Amino acid sequence: QKEVEQNSGPLSVPEGAIASLNCTYSDRGSQSFFWYRQYSGKSPELIMSIYSNGDKEDGRFTAQLNKASQYVSLLIRDSQPSDSATYLCAVNAGNTGKLIFGQGTTLQVKP
Amino acid sequence: NAGVTQTPKFRILKIGQSMTLQCTQDMNHNYMYWYRQDPGMGLKLIYYSVGAGITDKGEVPNGYNVSRSTTEDFPLRLELAAPSQTSVYFCASSLRGSMNSEAFFGQGTRLTVV
Protein backbone atom coordinates (compact mmCIF):
# COMPACT_ATOMS: atom_id res chain seq x y z
CA GLN A 1 0.00 0.00 0.00
CA LYS A 2 1.32 3.41 -0.96
CA GLU A 3 2.06 5.51 2.10
CA VAL A 4 3.09 9.03 3.00
CA GLU A 5 4.54 9.58 6.45
CA GLN A 6 4.83 12.76 8.46
CA ASN A 7 5.62 13.48 12.07
CA SER A 8 2.34 14.71 13.56
CA GLY A 9 4.10 17.12 15.91
CA PRO A 10 3.36 19.61 17.22
CA LEU A 11 6.48 21.35 15.99
CA SER A 12 7.00 24.51 18.01
CA VAL A 13 9.35 27.27 16.82
CA PRO A 14 9.86 30.87 17.97
CA GLU A 15 8.82 33.72 15.72
CA GLY A 16 11.53 34.52 13.18
CA ALA A 17 13.06 31.02 13.24
CA ILE A 18 13.21 28.47 10.43
CA ALA A 19 10.59 25.72 10.59
CA SER A 20 11.54 22.43 8.94
CA LEU A 21 8.80 19.96 8.00
CA ASN A 22 9.57 16.52 6.67
CA CYS A 23 7.77 13.83 4.69
CA THR A 24 8.69 10.40 3.34
CA TYR A 25 6.82 8.37 0.74
CA SER A 26 6.84 4.72 -0.20
CA ASP A 27 6.09 4.65 -3.95
CA ARG A 28 9.21 5.20 -6.08
CA GLY A 29 6.98 5.91 -9.08
CA SER A 30 5.64 9.10 -7.52
CA GLN A 31 5.92 12.08 -9.84
CA SER A 32 4.46 15.12 -8.15
CA PHE A 33 4.75 16.37 -4.60
CA PHE A 34 2.72 19.01 -2.83
CA TRP A 35 2.58 20.88 0.44
CA TYR A 36 -0.80 22.06 1.63
CA ARG A 37 -1.46 24.33 4.59
CA GLN A 38 -4.65 23.78 6.56
CA TYR A 39 -5.87 26.14 9.22
CA SER A 40 -8.16 24.69 11.87
CA GLY A 41 -11.64 24.16 10.46
CA LYS A 42 -10.62 25.22 6.97
CA SER A 43 -9.84 23.45 3.70
CA PRO A 44 -6.33 22.60 2.49
CA GLU A 45 -4.60 25.38 0.59
CA LEU A 46 -1.77 24.61 -1.83
CA ILE A 47 1.43 26.44 -0.93
CA MET A 48 4.17 24.56 -2.80
CA SER A 49 4.53 21.98 -5.54
CA ILE A 50 7.75 20.28 -6.65
CA TYR A 51 8.38 17.80 -9.44
CA SER A 52 12.15 17.37 -9.78
CA ASN A 53 15.05 16.77 -7.43
CA GLY A 54 16.48 19.79 -5.68
CA ASP A 55 15.10 22.93 -4.15
CA LYS A 56 12.24 25.17 -5.17
CA GLU A 57 11.84 28.55 -3.49
CA ASP A 58 8.75 30.76 -3.28
CA GLY A 59 9.04 33.70 -0.92
CA ARG A 60 9.65 32.42 2.60
CA PHE A 61 8.93 28.82 1.55
CA THR A 62 11.42 26.31 0.13
CA ALA A 63 10.45 22.81 -0.91
CA GLN A 64 13.17 20.17 -1.20
CA LEU A 65 12.86 16.86 -3.04
CA ASN A 66 15.19 13.87 -2.95
CA LYS A 67 13.70 11.04 -5.01
CA ALA A 68 16.57 8.65 -4.25
CA SER A 69 15.81 8.92 -0.54
CA GLN A 70 12.04 9.27 -1.14
CA TYR A 71 12.02 12.40 0.96
CA VAL A 72 10.29 15.76 0.66
CA SER A 73 10.70 18.69 3.01
CA LEU A 74 9.34 22.19 3.47
CA LEU A 75 11.34 25.00 5.03
CA ILE A 76 9.60 28.12 6.27
CA ARG A 77 11.99 31.00 6.89
CA ASP A 78 11.24 33.90 9.25
CA SER A 79 8.30 31.99 10.72
CA GLN A 80 5.31 34.10 11.71
CA PRO A 81 2.46 33.34 14.13
CA SER A 82 0.18 33.34 11.07
CA ASP A 83 2.11 30.28 9.82
CA SER A 84 0.67 28.27 12.71
CA ALA A 85 -1.36 25.55 10.98
CA THR A 86 -1.26 21.91 9.95
CA TYR A 87 0.95 21.19 6.95
CA LEU A 88 -0.08 18.28 4.77
CA CYS A 89 2.35 16.51 2.47
CA ALA A 90 0.67 14.97 -0.59
CA VAL A 91 2.06 12.73 -3.31
CA ASN A 92 0.66 12.00 -6.78
CA ALA A 93 1.80 8.56 -7.87
CA GLY A 94 -0.16 8.08 -11.07
CA ASN A 95 -1.78 9.87 -13.99
CA THR A 96 -5.24 10.40 -12.53
CA GLY A 97 -4.33 13.15 -10.08
CA LYS A 98 -5.14 11.02 -7.07
CA LEU A 99 -3.28 12.31 -4.03
CA ILE A 100 -2.02 10.31 -1.10
CA PHE A 101 -1.79 12.47 1.99
CA GLY A 102 0.29 12.22 5.10
CA GLN A 103 -1.45 12.79 8.41
CA GLY A 104 -0.06 16.31 8.64
CA THR A 105 2.37 18.14 10.93
CA THR A 106 1.01 20.78 13.26
CA LEU A 107 3.25 23.85 13.40
CA GLN A 108 3.07 26.32 16.26
CA VAL A 109 4.94 29.61 15.89
CA LYS A 110 5.25 31.36 19.24
CA PRO A 111 5.57 35.16 19.40
CA ASN B 1 -14.10 33.46 -9.29
CA ALA B 2 -15.87 30.74 -7.27
CA GLY B 3 -13.47 27.78 -7.80
CA VAL B 4 -14.84 24.65 -6.08
CA THR B 5 -18.12 25.09 -4.24
CA GLN B 6 -19.57 22.56 -1.80
CA THR B 7 -22.98 22.48 -0.18
CA PRO B 8 -24.06 22.14 2.54
CA LYS B 9 -21.34 23.34 4.92
CA PHE B 10 -22.75 21.46 7.90
CA ARG B 11 -25.22 18.61 8.26
CA ILE B 12 -26.45 16.30 11.00
CA LEU B 13 -27.90 12.98 9.86
CA LYS B 14 -29.60 10.24 11.79
CA ILE B 15 -28.36 6.67 11.39
CA GLY B 16 -29.89 5.13 8.28
CA GLN B 17 -30.74 8.40 6.56
CA SER B 18 -29.38 9.30 3.13
CA MET B 19 -28.08 12.54 1.67
CA THR B 20 -26.19 14.00 -1.25
CA LEU B 21 -23.21 16.29 -0.87
CA GLN B 22 -23.03 18.69 -3.76
CA CYS B 23 -19.84 19.82 -5.47
CA THR B 24 -19.45 22.10 -8.46
CA GLN B 25 -16.42 23.75 -10.05
CA ASP B 26 -16.20 26.54 -12.58
CA MET B 27 -12.59 26.05 -13.71
CA ASN B 28 -13.39 23.56 -16.49
CA HIS B 29 -11.30 20.90 -14.75
CA ASN B 30 -11.68 17.35 -16.01
CA TYR B 31 -10.47 15.70 -12.82
CA MET B 32 -12.57 15.77 -9.65
CA TYR B 33 -12.20 14.04 -6.29
CA TRP B 34 -13.95 13.39 -3.02
CA TYR B 35 -11.86 13.06 0.12
CA ARG B 36 -12.80 12.59 3.75
CA GLN B 37 -10.78 13.80 6.71
CA ASP B 38 -11.20 12.32 10.14
CA PRO B 39 -10.01 14.29 13.20
CA GLY B 40 -6.22 14.61 13.37
CA MET B 41 -5.73 12.69 10.18
CA GLY B 42 -4.84 13.34 6.57
CA LEU B 43 -7.29 13.09 3.72
CA LYS B 44 -8.40 9.78 2.27
CA LEU B 45 -9.77 9.43 -1.26
CA ILE B 46 -13.34 8.17 -1.54
CA TYR B 47 -14.07 8.43 -5.29
CA TYR B 48 -12.65 10.27 -8.25
CA SER B 49 -13.55 11.12 -11.83
CA VAL B 50 -11.31 11.81 -14.81
CA GLY B 51 -14.10 13.27 -16.90
CA ALA B 52 -17.84 13.40 -17.45
CA GLY B 53 -19.32 9.91 -17.36
CA ILE B 54 -16.20 8.30 -15.83
CA THR B 55 -15.85 7.53 -12.12
CA ASP B 56 -13.75 5.14 -10.07
CA LYS B 57 -13.25 4.06 -6.49
CA GLY B 58 -10.59 5.46 -4.24
CA GLU B 59 -9.22 4.12 -0.98
CA VAL B 60 -12.43 4.23 1.13
CA PRO B 61 -15.49 3.93 -1.20
CA ASN B 62 -17.77 1.72 0.93
CA GLY B 63 -21.07 3.38 1.81
CA TYR B 64 -20.78 6.05 -0.90
CA ASN B 65 -21.74 6.53 -4.53
CA VAL B 66 -20.95 9.19 -7.09
CA SER B 67 -22.00 10.32 -10.53
CA ARG B 68 -20.47 12.71 -13.06
CA SER B 69 -23.01 13.75 -15.66
CA THR B 70 -21.35 17.10 -16.41
CA THR B 71 -17.82 18.49 -16.22
CA GLU B 72 -18.88 20.94 -13.52
CA ASP B 73 -20.71 18.72 -11.02
CA PHE B 74 -19.61 15.74 -8.96
CA PRO B 75 -22.15 14.87 -6.23
CA LEU B 76 -21.41 12.34 -3.49
CA ARG B 77 -24.27 10.18 -2.24
CA LEU B 78 -24.39 8.63 1.21
CA GLU B 79 -26.83 5.75 1.55
CA LEU B 80 -27.82 4.42 4.99
CA ALA B 81 -25.63 6.79 7.01
CA ALA B 82 -23.53 5.24 9.78
CA PRO B 83 -21.62 6.88 12.68
CA SER B 84 -18.36 5.84 10.97
CA GLN B 85 -19.20 8.34 8.22
CA THR B 86 -18.95 11.25 10.63
CA SER B 87 -16.17 13.26 9.04
CA VAL B 88 -15.31 16.37 7.06
CA TYR B 89 -15.75 15.86 3.33
CA PHE B 90 -13.73 17.79 0.78
CA CYS B 91 -14.32 17.98 -2.93
CA ALA B 92 -11.37 18.90 -5.13
CA SER B 93 -10.59 19.39 -8.79
CA SER B 94 -7.49 19.55 -10.96
CA LEU B 95 -6.79 20.44 -14.57
CA ARG B 96 -4.44 17.53 -15.21
CA GLY B 97 -3.92 14.06 -13.81
CA SER B 98 -0.15 13.82 -13.91
CA MET B 99 2.49 16.53 -13.79
CA ASN B 100 1.36 19.97 -12.65
CA SER B 101 -1.75 18.34 -11.23
CA GLU B 102 -2.35 20.78 -8.41
CA ALA B 103 -5.69 20.11 -6.74
CA PHE B 104 -7.96 22.89 -5.55
CA PHE B 105 -10.30 22.20 -2.67
CA GLY B 106 -13.77 23.29 -1.74
CA GLN B 107 -14.56 24.61 1.74
CA GLY B 108 -15.71 21.25 3.04
CA THR B 109 -18.87 19.71 4.44
CA ARG B 110 -18.84 18.79 8.12
CA LEU B 111 -21.12 15.77 8.56
CA THR B 112 -22.22 14.26 11.86
CA VAL B 113 -24.16 10.99 11.97
CA VAL B 114 -26.00 10.39 15.25
Side-chain angles (χ1 to χ4, degrees), chain A residues 1-2 8 31-32 34 36 38 40-46 49 51-52 56 88 92 94-104, chain B residues 31 33 35 37 40-45 48-50 57-59 90 94 96-108 110:
Chain A
Q1 184 175 353
K2 299 173 183 176
S8 61
Q31 301 174 341
S32 308
F34 306 94
Y36 285 85
Q38 186 176 29
S40 181
K42 301 296 186 181
S43 60
E45 172 193 12
L46 180 69
S49 58
Y51 308 108
S52 55
K56 179 181 178 183
L88 298 165
N92 178 357
N95 60 0
T96 58
K98 295 187 293 183
L99 295 176
I100 302 170
F101 283 86
Q103 68 181 69
Chain B
Y31 298 83
Y33 315 89
Y35 292 90
Q37 185 177 32
M41 302 297 290
L43 283 73
K44 292 189 184 299
L45 183 64
Y48 68 100
S49 170
V50 300
K57 297 177 180 179
E59 186 181 359
F90 290 104
S94 65
R96 302 179 184 84
S98 55
M99 298 294 283
N100 300 326
S101 57
E102 292 90 346
F104 298 90
F105 285 82
Q107 293 306 300
R110 188 174 297 273

Side-chain angles (χ1 to χ4, degrees), chain A residues 7-37:
Chain A
N7 187 326
S8 61
L11 172 65
S12 183
V13 300
E15 183 175 355
I18 296 175
S20 177
L21 305 158
N22 304 314
C23 171
T24 59
Y25 60 95
S26 63
D27 184 2
R28 285 194 172 275
S30 301
Q31 301 174 341
S32 308
F33 306 86
F34 306 94
W35 284 99
Y36 285 85
R37 177 176 62 199

Side-chain angles (χ1 to χ4, degrees), chain B residues 26-64:
Chain B
D26 62 359
M27 297 176 282
N28 202 31
H29 286 174
N30 281 326
Y31 298 83
M32 295 188 74
Y33 315 89
W34 276 104
Y35 292 90
R36 60 176 286 174
Q37 185 177 32
D38 297 331
M41 302 297 290
L43 283 73
K44 292 189 184 299
L45 183 64
I46 305 171
Y47 270 95
Y48 68 100
S49 170
V50 300
I54 306 170
T55 62
D56 205 349
K57 297 177 180 179
E59 186 181 359
V60 289
N62 291 344
Y64 308 94

Side-chain angles (χ1 to χ4, degrees), chain B residues 63-86:
Chain B
Y64 308 94
N65 276 300
V66 294
S67 60
R68 184 91 182 274
S69 58
T70 66
T71 299
E72 294 78 19
D73 300 308
F74 190 39
L76 177 71
R77 178 80 177 165
L78 278 71
E79 304 282 1
L80 298 175
S84 61
Q85 293 178 304
T86 294

Side-chain angles (χ1 to χ4, degrees), chain A residues 5-6 13 28 42 47 55 60 62 65 96 103 106:
Chain A
E5 299 285 343
Q6 294 180 256
V13 300
R28 285 194 172 275
K42 301 296 186 181
I47 54 172
D55 294 359
R60 295 187 296 112
T62 299
L65 174 60
T96 58
Q103 68 181 69
T106 299

